Amino acid sequence: MMMNKFRFVLTQQPLALSSFQNWLKLIIKHPTINFKYIPRALLVSFLTFLTIPLKIVEHIRFREQIKNIAITQEPIFILGHWRSGTTHLHNLMSMDENFGYVSTFQGFAPGFFLSKGKFIKTLVGLMLPHTRPMDKVQISIDYPQEEEFALANISPLSFYHGWYFPKNMQQYFDDFVLFKGIPQEIRERWKRAYLSIVKKATISENKRLLLKSPTNTARIKILLEIFPNAKFIHIYRNPYNVYSSTKRLYDSILPVFGFQTIEEKDIEANILYFYKETMQKFLQEKHLIPKSNLVEVKYEDLEAEPLTELARIYEELNLAGFDSAKERFTGYLNDKKAYKKNKHILSDKTVDKISQEWSFTIDLWDYDLP
């Protein structure tokens, strides 16, 4: 029983290995933790405090290297709303050994992964669930992960704090995905925090980074301010399937990550709002990307003809290495043939809401109700 609790904290609460200072800021900002989640908060407090020496050692050892490292090849960003196929594409392209990425361990322990932290990495790896709770996709301590988790663990400037404090989720979205009304000083702080993650991952991987975070779909302008020559891959999917799969994501993650509970109607309202705002911002800003640095992929096409779509991505972005990685791509795809997606049922009322709120992408990409 004790092992189950320990496993739960380390592997299903990403804040457990975050900055203790960052955690304290969150607690001060959100004093209304639900009573049933107080043990969870106490354990996170203990673990973040316990790893302070590791973070101090890493800061002393690597601060100059992090400060001075030059990113000679700017990242490739995989964009797309949650549940649009971003993880599948990220995992698939990471089979190309020319690319590096932020791993699960790097994302959850951004403060000390360069110092290896072998014992903690091994412990987390042993306790890590084999699959994600929302879709049964395989995960591992060394698999690609969203760098947004790392950002949430080193700074108070991440939308993913909304997973932990869902009553404030919309505010986090407006602040750190859309940057609505955010002062330039805070934008610059965000850019420095994000760049520090990319620099540390570059030191670790020593390769061009392939990064995936759905939050970045609405951050094109600010990302180009940091990386003007970055390349972008946008993947999109039938919005009706996106809604049902996103709803399952929230139902699976909020009870595991959260320190608060919110009502069902608020979850549904957030899903509708986040998709609409994210995709509208993407459509408004994508013209800022040079045409040779952006490719768009339909999820259903990637699913039907994965190698054809991958070859097109490489060609349109002028990326080398497709032929040499083709065998690894094929092996990965063969391993996933037995994977079965979740099936979802939408009520007529929900279908009507989606059709009304998200009509701009449904019409743009010519989708029908599946």
Side-chain angles (χ1 to χ4, degrees):
M1 188 69 177
M2 287 299 292
M3 179 59 72
N4 287 337
K5 288 183 179 180
F6 196 56
R7 173 180 183 270
F8 167 79
V9 171
L10 281 178
T11 66
Q12 304 206 27
Q13 178 43 262
L15 282 174
L17 300 178
S18 69
S19 156
F20 181 68
Q21 182 183 32
N22 191 47
W23 170 242
L24 286 181
K25 289 179 180 178
L26 290 172
I27 292 296
I28 293 169
K29 185 175 180 179
H30 306 285
T32 55
I33 292 176
N34 285 52
F35 181 78
K36 65 179 178 180
Y37 297 134
I38 288 178
R40 181 182 298 181
L42 291 173
L43 283 166
V44 170
S45 300
F46 173 72
L47 288 167
T48 55
F49 183 79
L50 192 66
T51 53
I52 286 176
L54 293 173
K55 294 156 192 167
I56 293 174
V57 169
E58 176 143 316
H59 177 70
I60 294 171
R61 286 183 60 189
F62 291 98
R63 60 184 171 187
E64 288 302 315
Q65 188 177 356
I66 294 168
K67 178 182 177 182
N68 296 323
I69 187 172
I71 299 173
T72 56
Q73 287 187 297
E74 296 191 0
I76 301 168
F77 291 99
I78 295 176
L79 309 178
H81 189 275
W82 293 266
R83 315 306 301 149
S84 293
T86 56
T87 297
H88 174 55
L89 182 58
H90 195 204
N91 288 343
L92 179 57
M93 289 189 67
S94 71
M95 293 296 102
D96 185 340
E97 295 180 329
N98 291 309
F99 299 138
Y101 50 80
V102 174
S103 70
T104 298
F105 185 62
Q106 292 174 18
F108 288 2
F112 57 90
F113 71 84
L114 286 177
S115 303
K116 304 307 178 186
K118 290 183 179 179
F119 172 74
I120 293 182
K121 181 178 179 180
T122 301
L123 186 64
V124 175
L126 289 172
M127 297 176 177
L128 195 69
H130 296 299
T131 59
R132 304 193 305 183
M134 62 281 200
D135 56 13
K136 304 306 179 185
V137 168
Q138 285 186 325
I139 55 176
S140 165
I141 201 69
D142 292 314
Y143 277 18
Q145 186 54 266
E146 298 175 30
E147 71 276 9
E148 190 74 19
F149 283 110
L151 182 66
N153 278 4
I154 66 167
S155 82
L157 309 176
S158 171
F159 166 63
Y160 277 10
H161 291 143
W163 292 127
Y164 314 126
F165 302 97
K167 290 181 179 179
N168 297 86
M169 182 173 274
Q170 190 171 128
Q171 189 64 57
Y172 276 115
F173 179 84
D174 287 345
D175 287 350
F176 303 122
V177 177
L178 303 180
F179 294 97
K180 280 187 177 180
I182 293 298
Q184 187 62 31
E185 178 189 353
I186 303 300
R187 286 172 57 90
E188 294 301 320
R189 280 179 55 199
W190 186 93
K191 287 159 67 173
R192 288 194 297 271
Y194 190 87
L195 182 58
S196 72
I197 293 165
V198 175
K199 283 185 171 184
K200 290 188 74 171
T202 300
I203 292 170
S204 175
E205 300 291 301
N206 196 28
K207 299 176 183 178
R208 185 175 199 170
L209 293 182
L210 181 68
L211 301 175
K212 185 273 289 192
S213 177
T215 49
N216 285 338
T217 309
R219 293 173 175 160
I220 290 173
K221 185 176 184 295
I222 197 167
L223 289 175
L224 287 173
E225 291 172 8
I226 311 172
F227 306 109
N229 297 311
K231 295 183 183 290
F232 296 84
I233 306 167
H234 173 235
I235 184 168
Y236 60 90
R237 182 186 185 190
N238 189 310
Y240 295 101
N241 285 335
V242 168
Y243 180 93
S244 57
S245 192
T246 303
K247 179 61 168 60
R248 183 181 179 89
L249 170 71
Y250 278 62
D251 290 344
S252 301
I253 282 185
L254 289 180
V256 175
F257 285 7
F259 299 94
Q260 300 171 335
T261 55
I262 61 171
E263 295 183 18
E264 189 80 5
K265 64 180 179 61
D266 295 322
I267 293 175
E268 294 174 356
N270 281 344
I271 294 171
L272 290 168
Y273 175 73
F274 295 160
Y275 179 94
K276 184 176 181 178
E277 293 294 321
T278 296
M279 299 317 303
Q280 285 183 341
K281 188 84 177 294
F282 168 77
L283 294 172
Q284 290 167 6
E285 293 187 348
K286 75 172 186 175
H287 75 279
L288 299 173
I289 306 170
K291 289 185 178 180
S292 60
N293 286 351
L294 170 65
V295 62
E296 296 196 72
V297 180
K298 186 176 183 178
Y299 170 77
E300 291 80 3
D301 291 344
L302 180 67
E303 189 177 39
E305 298 288 343
L307 291 178
T308 300
E309 286 299 293
L310 275 179
R312 182 173 70 86
I313 291 170
Y314 274 71
E315 181 180 0
E316 292 192 19
L317 294 181
N318 194 27
L319 300 174
F322 174 79
D323 289 336
S324 60
K326 189 174 180 179
E327 185 176 344
R328 289 174 60 83
F329 293 148
T330 302
Y332 175 84
L333 292 166
N334 287 337
D335 286 344
K336 304 304 174 188
K337 281 185 176 179
Y339 174 73
K340 293 183 179 180
K341 294 183 292 185
N342 293 313
K343 294 183 178 181
H344 310 279
I345 297 175
L346 294 173
S347 68
D348 291 342
K349 183 178 180 181
T350 301
V351 168
D352 289 342
K353 287 182 180 179
I354 297 168
S355 300
Q356 180 178 353
E357 295 288 330
W358 299 356
S359 61
F360 66 103
T361 55
I362 295 169
D363 295 341
L364 175 66
W365 298 321
D366 195 26
Y367 278 112
D368 297 313
L369 182 67

